[in-house]
């Protein structure tokens, strides 16, 4: 805990003690006896000691001074559920999706952008595992990662999302190269991933709360696709239906980690703020799509990308580093053995040792310090 926080604690204690002393002074007619004074000093010492111990143990010692007691596990879970109910169900774009008001191109645009989110869920869960020192939790959370990526190329949520999108007329290549992902969705999803990488793993689990309560989401979505749009892939429907049925398992695991970590009132309210952050991410993604698809026609960024068969997406092409490029350029400019060139007005063999000044220049060109 920062020293400034402990000073804040001392300040609060000082105000409380001063109020106590004034009350005692009035009670005894303006005189505080040595016995009462000693008792007050003892209380100060005990309170400061207790606050300091809490500070050292990483528990916020300030929350109790605002008469805010920590919620019980039951009440905390109730607040969590109320927060997660706010979800994306009432977003105008999602309501259009569920009611069958999207054109085929708009539905394909949503599937492509949602796929970017699905792919990054694997990276997010991997980040949680890499930051987590609790082996029991890692065992449980690893199941989510495997279910998302699959045990092979024919299993997992990512593969079945591709099948779901293909049943709505999208080509797999359009999904895999992220050509239809809007900048706003990319920014929002990347922000979520970066949060999971940098935050304590318990906070990243807290941000995952909306995913742990997604059973109703999947049921509503699959019903809408089957009712208003092209018949969805049967295997994909079966997979996501089964995934929704297992949501409680993940919810119980995540809830246990959250309630064990966020134990005082201040931290519990912070946990709800983290969940709101995640809900804002999801809402922002739909806002972006709603703007991009304003009107009956999709925005240009969401039009299908036509590429020659077998063409490699630009994003997957390996870029040469500056060092590699300069090294190749230097190699192409290197004279053949036995040829001669002028150095400082003198003709010398091209393959003979060169002055140190030239060596320094060459090193600088390819990003390396000159040898001395």
């Amino acid at each position: 805990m920062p020293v400034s926080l402990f000073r804040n604690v001392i300040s609060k204690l000082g105000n409380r003690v001063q109020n106590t002393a004034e009350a005692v002074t009035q009670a005894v007619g303006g005189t505080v006896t040595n016995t009462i004074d000693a008792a007050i000093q003892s209380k100060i010492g005990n309170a400061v000691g207790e606050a300091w111990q809490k500070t050292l143990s990483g528990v916020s010692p300030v929350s109790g001074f605002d008469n805010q007691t920590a919620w019980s596990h039951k009440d905390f879970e109730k607040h969590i559920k109320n927060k997660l109910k706010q979800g994306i169900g009432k977003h105008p774009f999602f309501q259009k999706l569920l009611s069958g008001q999207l054109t085929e191109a708009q539905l394909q645009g949503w599937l492509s952008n949602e796929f970017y989110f699905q792919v990054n869920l694997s990276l997010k869960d991997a980040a949680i595992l890499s930051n987590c020192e609790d082996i029991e939790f890692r065992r449980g959370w690893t199941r989510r990662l495997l279910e998302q990526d699959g045990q092979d190329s024919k299993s997992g949520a990512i593969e079945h999302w591709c099948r779901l999108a293909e049943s709505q007329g999208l080509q797999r290549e359009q999904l895999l190269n992220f050509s239809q992902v809007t900048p706003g969705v990319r920014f929002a999803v990347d922000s979520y991933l970066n949060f999971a990488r940098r935050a304590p793993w318990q906070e990243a689990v807290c941000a995952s709360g909306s995913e742990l309560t997604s059973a109703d989401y999947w049921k509503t979505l699959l019903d809408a696709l089957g009712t208003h749009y092209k018949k969805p892939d049967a295997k994909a429907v079966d997979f996501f239906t089964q995934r929704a049925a297992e949501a409680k398992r993940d919810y119980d695991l995540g809830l246990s980690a959250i309630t064990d970590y966020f134990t005082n009132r201040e931290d519990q309210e912070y946990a709800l703020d983290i969940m709101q952050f995640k809900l804002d991410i999801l809402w922002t993604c739909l806002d972006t799509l709603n703007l991009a698809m304003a009107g009956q026609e999709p925005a240009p960024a969401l039009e299908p990308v036509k590429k020659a068969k077998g063409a490699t997406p630009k994003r997957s092409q390996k870029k040469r580093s500056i060092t590699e490029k300069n090294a190749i350029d230097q190699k192409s400019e290197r004279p053949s053995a036995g040829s001669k060139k002028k150095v400082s007005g003198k003709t010398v063999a091209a393959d003979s040792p060169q002055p140190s000044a030239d060596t320094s220049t060459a090193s600088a060109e390819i990003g390396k310090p000159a040898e001395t």
Side-chain angles (χ1 to χ4, degrees):
M1 285 286 178
V3 174
S4 59
L5 178 58
F6 186 69
R7 287 174 178 167
N8 188 20
V9 176
I10 298 301
S11 175
K12 287 178 179 287
L13 282 170
N15 293 337
R16 177 175 293 183
V17 170
Q18 182 179 1
N19 294 337
T20 303
E22 290 175 355
V24 172
T25 300
Q26 293 176 2
V28 298
T31 304
V32 179
T33 64
N34 292 336
T35 303
I36 296 176
D37 189 45
I40 292 176
Q41 290 181 14
S42 176
K43 265 195 166 184
I44 295 174
N46 292 338
V48 172
E50 181 182 353
W52 181 244
Q53 288 301 318
K54 285 184 177 181
T55 301
L56 292 178
S57 63
V59 178
S60 172
V62 180
S63 57
F65 294 124
D66 298 324
N67 295 321
Q68 290 185 328
T69 57
W71 290 316
S72 65
H73 279 209
K74 184 177 180 179
D75 288 341
F76 189 22
E77 182 179 3
K78 182 179 179 180
H79 284 285
I80 290 173
K81 288 183 176 180
N82 288 337
K83 172 63 69 175
L84 296 178
K85 283 180 182 178
Q86 299 174 18
I88 60 174
K90 295 183 179 180
H91 193 284
F93 182 85
F94 195 66
Q95 290 181 338
K96 291 179 185 177
L97 169 63
L98 297 183
S99 59
Q101 298 181 43
L102 297 186
T103 65
E104 181 180 46
Q106 289 171 341
L107 177 62
Q108 291 175 358
W110 174 77
L111 287 165
S112 295
N113 281 267
E114 179 66 19
F115 179 73
Y116 186 72
F117 177 75
Q118 293 293 324
V119 168
N120 278 277
L121 287 183
S122 299
L123 302 180
K124 181 267 300 182
D125 286 333
I128 291 175
L129 291 171
S130 68
N131 290 331
C132 177
E133 69 281 358
D134 186 333
I135 188 170
E136 290 298 328
F137 181 87
R138 289 204 306 270
R139 288 194 183 107
W141 204 258
T142 298
R143 290 195 300 262
R144 287 178 51 81
L145 182 59
L146 294 177
E147 288 172 357
Q148 190 72 10
D149 282 349
Q151 299 282 1
D152 52 51
S153 60
K154 296 182 179 181
S155 62
I158 293 177
E159 167 60 21
H160 285 89
W161 190 268
C162 288
R163 296 177 66 97
L164 192 67
E166 287 174 326
S167 68
Q168 302 303 317
L170 266 171
Q171 297 179 4
R172 185 172 291 241
E173 181 187 3
Q174 292 174 280
L175 289 172
L176 298 180
N177 63 16
F178 305 132
S179 60
Q180 298 191 46
V181 178
T182 65
V185 168
R186 189 185 298 274
F187 181 82
V189 174
D190 289 353
S191 298
Y192 178 41
L193 176 59
N194 288 332
F195 173 81
R197 285 171 170 167
R198 292 173 171 81
W201 66 269
Q202 297 94 334
E203 293 185 10
V205 170
C206 188
S208 304
S210 61
E211 301 154 31
L212 307 180
T213 56
S214 59
D216 292 340
Y217 166 84
W218 284 111
K219 183 180 184 306
T220 305
L221 175 62
L222 295 173
D223 288 345
L225 290 177
T227 302
H228 302 295
Y229 305 99
K230 294 179 180 179
K231 184 179 180 180
D233 180 84
K235 289 186 177 180
V237 171
D238 290 343
F239 175 85
F240 289 114
T241 300
Q242 178 63 28
R243 188 86 183 270
E246 297 172 348
K248 189 178 186 308
R249 176 204 67 192
D250 295 337
Y251 173 78
D252 291 340
L253 178 63
L255 180 65
S256 176
I258 293 169
T259 54
D260 287 346
Y261 183 73
F262 300 95
T263 55
N264 63 58
R265 180 65 172 274
E266 183 182 15
D267 290 343
Q268 289 169 338
E269 292 180 349
Y270 175 57
L272 298 181
D273 289 340
I274 293 175
M275 293 179 183
Q276 184 62 53
F277 159 74
K278 169 61 177 306
L279 295 176
D280 290 343
I281 291 289
L282 300 177
W283 198 271
T284 299
C285 289
L286 293 181
D287 274 347
T288 300
L289 294 178
N290 209 29
L291 290 171
M293 299 180 185
Q296 295 300 315
E297 297 299 327
L302 296 178
E303 292 179 353
V305 177
K306 295 182 180 180
K307 291 191 175 183
K309 188 175 181 180
T312 303
K314 290 184 178 180
R315 285 178 55 81
S316 64
Q317 290 178 347
K318 185 177 179 181
K319 296 181 179 179
R320 290 177 178 174
S321 65
I322 296 177
T323 301
E324 180 185 0
K325 181 179 182 302
N326 286 339
I328 293 175
D329 291 344
Q330 287 182 2
K331 184 177 180 180
S332 63
E333 295 173 357
R334 188 179 301 161
S336 58
S339 61
K340 296 183 179 181
K341 63 178 181 179
K342 289 186 177 181
V343 177
S344 301
K346 298 181 180 180
T347 300
V348 296
D351 53 355
S352 62
Q354 302 302 319
S356 58
D358 288 349
T359 302
S360 174
T361 302
S363 298
E365 287 179 356
I366 61 173
K368 296 181 180 179
E371 295 181 2
T372 57

